[in-house]
């Protein structure tokens, strides 16, 4: 398996993308912003197409669009914590712009039809070049370091916004920086593995980590571990059974980990689990 | 409206007479069908979207519209009619989402669960498509729709589905509103909050599935979210809010279709841009108004 260059590239880039997604995802889930990640992955699609239409560097378009998208969501949302409705509205408009650019792109260049869109949406982890891998590694390390640098105040601001603000933590600025960081990771992940993988890697490993522990740094580590682990499992499965697409297998592994975490917490303390279910019915 | 028409006409170098352009809009059957379908989807989206925004279920709504994709892919893989896949998967998705919402965990756990569900749905869809080989061309049209190729029969189907969905929501409107605004009090008064929540998601999912088959998921989602969000910004009163939401949805759909007819760019772009522009306008003017109120109060206090 390691003899093939494309497989080595996929494993290296995938590991680093997974690491970044796992770390950022922990905060995304903590702040209940998975929908923002979902929207940003579509912003990435539009940004890439816009750059293609304007004849600019696709990578630059991708990053500019997602980081800008993150900042706009932060500004429109309350307390830099973009809400459901704002994200939904921005999201719909982004899709509309995406259609526009897709139309212009396909009429401009009849040879490069809709497959470009599919590539951006679902990624091609087995088709990465050495440059792609290097970019992925550098950006993942950068994003991870930036996140860990603001981890403490961000954690405080996410858990109790009012108290953090009273203590002088710049809650709004932190929220904006975090959304911009999420944009950076979205662009990187979209470029390397597709928008589809991004959402799964943001939500599922972090969701599992949150179920298993309430301790923040352990949770961050677990989330990163689950995320990288899902990438390895998915890539191996896809290598062994070539008909199965790698991105689907990676998501299946990540969701599998999440379901396992739900099941073990339910089994560890069944009375609490059923009590909560009953409370859901009655309370 | 008239100025926009004139602008559009300049675009194409057609005529300077807005009335003549308006007449031309209705001259072709495909355009009439598109206008009819757009009207139906706008009314449905305005009504159901108002409740969706009220219940803060935009993410759930988007997830449901995504679930139609693996449904269609699974049905074509198994050789079943597409509708079976659409309805089967949307029903299952609504059940799962209602379970997630009903377990009343924290907001963050709910967000993670919905995100995982959506990612799984997309992964399954992509898996089915790659196992089936080469229906990838249909993917773009499934996502973005072909609004201008609608047949008369499809308009009838749309009308039936939309009428059923709006009627169901209208029947349950009062208890649904109560349950959405204050779930705990409603439950204490004997309103079946969980059943209502599940029923609403089911109606949302099935209507989104059916309409997105015809007009594409993008347009349905755009008409569900943005006009309703604008209406919620303008008024908290339910009756007025729903009427406003429907009116806005109708206006952006008609204007978007007309603009798309006179230019070469897609309907989805115009409809989403117009509705997002309106939403932004309302947000900004509200923010300015509240700032003016605050500074006015401060000035009073100082004096």
């Amino acid at each position: 398996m390691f003899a093939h260059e494309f497989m080595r590239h996929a494993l290296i880039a995938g590991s680093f993308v997974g690491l970044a997604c796992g770390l950022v995802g922990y905060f995304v889930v903590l702040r209940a912003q998975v929908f923002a990640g979902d929207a940003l992955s579509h912003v990435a699609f539009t940004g890439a197409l816009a750059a293609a239409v304007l004849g600019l560097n696709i990578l630059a378009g991708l990053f500019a669009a997602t980081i800008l998208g993150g900042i706009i969501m932060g500004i429109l949302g309350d307390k830099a914590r973009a809400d459901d409705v704002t994200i939904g509205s921005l999201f719909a408009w982004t899709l509309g712009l995406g259609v526009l650019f897709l139309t212009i792109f396909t009429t401009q260049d009849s040879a490069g039809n809709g497959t470009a869109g599919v590539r951006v949406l679902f990624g091609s982890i087995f088709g990465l070049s050495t440059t792609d891998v290097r970019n992925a590694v550098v950006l993942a390390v950068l994003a991870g370091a930036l996140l860990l640098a603001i981890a403490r105040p961000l954690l405080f601001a996410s858990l109790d916004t009012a108290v953090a603000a009273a203590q002088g933590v710049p809650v709004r600025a932190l929220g904006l920086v975090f959304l911009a960081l999420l944009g950076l990771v979205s662009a990187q992940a979209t470029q390397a593995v597709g928008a589809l993988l991004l959402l799964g890697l943001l939500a599922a490993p972090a969701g599992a980590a949150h179920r298993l522990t309430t301790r923040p740094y352990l949770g961050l580590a677990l989330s990163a571990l689950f995320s990288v682990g899902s990438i390895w499992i998915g890539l191996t499965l896809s290598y062994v059974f070539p008909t199965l697409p790698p991105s689907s297998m990676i998501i299946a592994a990540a969701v599998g980990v999440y379901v396992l975490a739900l099941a073990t917490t339910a089994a560890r303390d069944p009375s609490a689990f059923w009590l909560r279910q009953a409370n859901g019915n009655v309370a | 409206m008239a100025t926009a028409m004139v602008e559009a006409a300049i675009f194409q170098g057609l005529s300077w007479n807005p009335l003549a352009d308006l007449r031309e809009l209705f001259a072709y059957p495909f355009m009439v069908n598109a206008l009819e379908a757009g009207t139906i989807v706008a009314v449905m989206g305005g009504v159901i979207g108002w409740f969706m925004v009220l219940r803060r279920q935009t993410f759930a709504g988007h997830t449901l519209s995504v679930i139609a994709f693996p449904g269609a892919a699974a049905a074509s893989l198994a050789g079943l009619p597409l509708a079976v896949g659409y309805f089967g998967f949307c029903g299952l998705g609504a059940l799962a989402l209602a379970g997630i919402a009903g377990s009343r965990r924290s907001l963050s756990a709910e967000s993670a669960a919905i995100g995982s569900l959506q990612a799984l749905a997309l992964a399954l869809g992509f898996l089915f498509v790659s196992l089936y080989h080469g229906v990838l061309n249909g993917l773009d049209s499934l996502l973005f729709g072909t609004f201008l190729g609608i047949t008369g029969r499809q308009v009838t189907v749309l009308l039936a589905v939309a009428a059923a969905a709006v009627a169901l929501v209208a029947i349950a409107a009062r208890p649904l509103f109560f349950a959405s605004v204050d779930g705990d009090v409603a439950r204490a008064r004997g309103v079946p909050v969980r059943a209502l929540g599940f029923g609403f998601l089911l109606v949302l999912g099935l209507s989104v599935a059916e309409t997105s088959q015809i007009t594409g998921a993008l347009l349905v989602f755009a008409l569900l979210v943005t006009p309703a969000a604008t209406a919620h910004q303008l008024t908290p009163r339910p009756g007025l809010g729903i009427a406003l939401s429907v009116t806005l949805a109708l206006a952006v759909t008609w204007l978007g279709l007309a603009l798309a007819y006179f230019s070469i760019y897609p309907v989805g772009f115009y409809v989403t841009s117009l509705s997002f522009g309106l939403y932004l306008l309302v947000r900004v003017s509200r923010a300015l108004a509240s700032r003016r109120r605050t500074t006015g109060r401060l000035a009073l206090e100082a004096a």
Side-chain angles (χ1 to χ4, degrees):
Chain A
M1 188 164 120
F2 296 102
H4 300 285
E5 197 186 15
F6 76 92
M7 204 59 206
R8 277 202 306 274
H9 281 170
L11 276 169
I12 296 170
S15 303
F16 279 91
V17 169
L19 187 72
C21 283
L23 289 176
V24 173
Y26 183 82
F27 283 100
V28 171
V29 169
L30 182 69
R31 298 166 68 83
Q33 286 185 332
V34 179
F35 192 30
D38 181 15
L40 281 177
S41 65
H42 289 75
V43 171
F45 172 72
T46 300
L49 278 171
V53 167
L54 299 173
L56 300 170
N57 185 351
I58 291 189
L59 204 58
L62 209 80
F63 280 99
T66 51
I67 294 173
L68 203 69
I71 292 173
I72 292 176
M73 276 188 227
I75 290 173
L76 281 177
D78 300 324
K79 301 189 198 96
R81 204 187 267 233
D83 64 311
D84 227 32
V85 180
T86 311
I87 300 171
S89 306
L90 184 69
F91 188 177
W93 182 53
T94 315
L95 283 176
L97 278 182
V99 180
L100 173 71
F101 291 131
L102 193 64
T103 312
I104 300 176
F105 187 61
T106 42
T107 44
Q108 235 175 34
D109 172 25
S110 52
N113 47 42
T115 47
V118 173
R119 207 194 118 122
V120 174
L121 276 177
F122 295 109
S124 50
I125 196 168
F126 282 158
L128 299 175
S129 70
T130 319
T131 333
D132 291 338
V133 175
R134 204 180 51 225
N135 287 341
V137 172
V138 169
L139 281 166
V141 171
L142 193 76
L146 204 64
L147 187 77
L148 289 179
I150 60 164
R152 255 188 87 84
L154 185 63
L155 201 64
F156 191 13
S158 310
L159 287 174
D160 198 330
T161 317
V163 176
Q167 291 266 343
V169 175
V171 175
R172 224 193 139 86
L174 271 176
L176 278 180
V177 170
F178 177 68
L179 279 172
L181 195 66
L182 179 59
L184 183 78
V185 173
S186 309
Q188 180 221 9
T190 307
Q191 198 252 331
V193 292
L196 157 65
L197 270 186
L198 168 73
L199 183 66
L201 285 182
L202 282 180
H210 276 279
R211 282 296 288 197
L212 293 174
T213 176
T214 48
R215 290 167 54 196
Y217 289 105
L218 182 64
L220 264 174
L222 271 183
S223 173
L225 182 75
F226 289 156
S227 171
V228 175
S230 322
I231 295 226
W232 288 345
I233 295 172
L235 284 177
T236 312
L237 277 177
S238 179
Y239 180 77
V240 177
F241 306 103
T243 45
L244 303 178
S247 41
S248 292
M249 288 303 104
I250 292 171
I251 295 302
V255 174
V257 171
Y258 179 61
V259 170
L260 220 59
L262 288 184
T264 49
T265 44
R268 202 166 55 196
D269 195 357
S271 56
F273 176 76
W274 291 114
L275 204 65
R276 195 169 38 237
Q277 291 292 317
N279 278 340
N281 278 323
V282 181
Chain B
M1 177 113 185
T3 52
M5 286 293 210
V6 173
E7 266 170 31
I10 293 167
F11 225 139
Q12 281 282 293
L14 279 178
S15 76
W16 286 88
N17 182 355
L19 272 178
D21 288 334
L22 201 58
R23 220 174 299 123
E24 200 193 314
L25 264 185
F26 296 100
Y28 299 98
F30 81 90
M31 206 52 208
V32 175
N33 280 348
L35 281 166
E36 281 171 0
T39 308
I40 295 166
V41 175
V43 171
M44 191 193 77
V47 173
I48 296 182
W50 193 84
F51 280 101
M52 187 180 82
V53 169
L54 178 73
R55 297 172 64 81
R56 304 257 145 202
Q57 286 186 322
T58 321
F59 192 20
H62 178 237
T63 302
L64 276 174
S65 67
V66 163
I67 287 175
F69 162 53
S76 49
L77 185 65
L80 294 169
L82 279 186
V84 174
Y86 273 115
F87 288 133
F89 269 65
C90 276
L92 282 178
L95 204 63
L97 284 171
I100 291 167
S103 63
R104 289 166 59 83
R105 274 191 240 110
S106 65
L107 206 60
S108 67
E110 189 181 324
S111 152
I114 299 177
S116 303
L117 182 69
Q118 185 183 337
L120 184 67
L122 278 171
L124 281 178
F126 191 47
L127 175 68
F128 294 149
V129 164
S130 51
L131 287 179
Y132 184 64
H133 293 305
V135 283
L136 272 185
N137 286 337
L139 190 60
D140 280 334
S141 77
L142 185 68
L143 287 173
F144 302 128
T146 48
F147 211 90
L148 298 182
I150 297 170
T151 62
R153 219 191 115 258
Q154 283 177 318
V155 173
T156 323
V157 173
L158 260 183
L159 184 64
V161 170
V166 170
L168 280 174
V169 170
I171 290 169
R174 274 186 71 87
L176 185 63
F177 180 68
F178 192 12
S180 312
V181 173
D182 196 333
D184 290 335
V185 175
R187 201 178 286 117
R189 293 287 296 262
V191 176
V193 174
R194 278 198 107 167
L196 275 174
F198 170 63
F200 177 69
L201 278 174
L202 200 63
V203 169
L204 178 65
L206 296 184
S207 51
V208 165
E210 184 58 40
T211 44
S212 57
Q213 263 193 89
I214 298 170
T215 62
L218 159 69
L219 205 73
V220 179
F221 185 65
L223 288 175
L224 272 173
V225 183
T226 323
T230 314
H232 274 278
Q233 287 282 327
L234 287 171
T235 172
R237 287 167 54 194
L240 189 63
I242 293 174
L244 204 59
S245 167
V246 170
T247 316
L248 288 173
L250 281 174
V252 294
T253 309
W254 289 337
L255 206 54
L257 276 168
L259 286 172
Y261 177 80
F262 288 112
S263 73
I264 56 165
Y265 299 121
V267 183
F269 165 67
Y270 287 113
V271 170
T272 52
S273 298
L274 287 170
S275 43
F276 187 67
L278 263 174
Y279 175 71
L280 265 190
L281 200 71
V282 170
R283 282 290 301 261
V284 167
S285 57
R286 263 182 60 112
L288 286 180
S290 84
R291 180 163 300 170
R292 205 175 304 130
R293 260 201 309 278
T294 328
T295 46
R297 206 181 307 131
L298 285 177
L300 268 179
E301 278 167 12

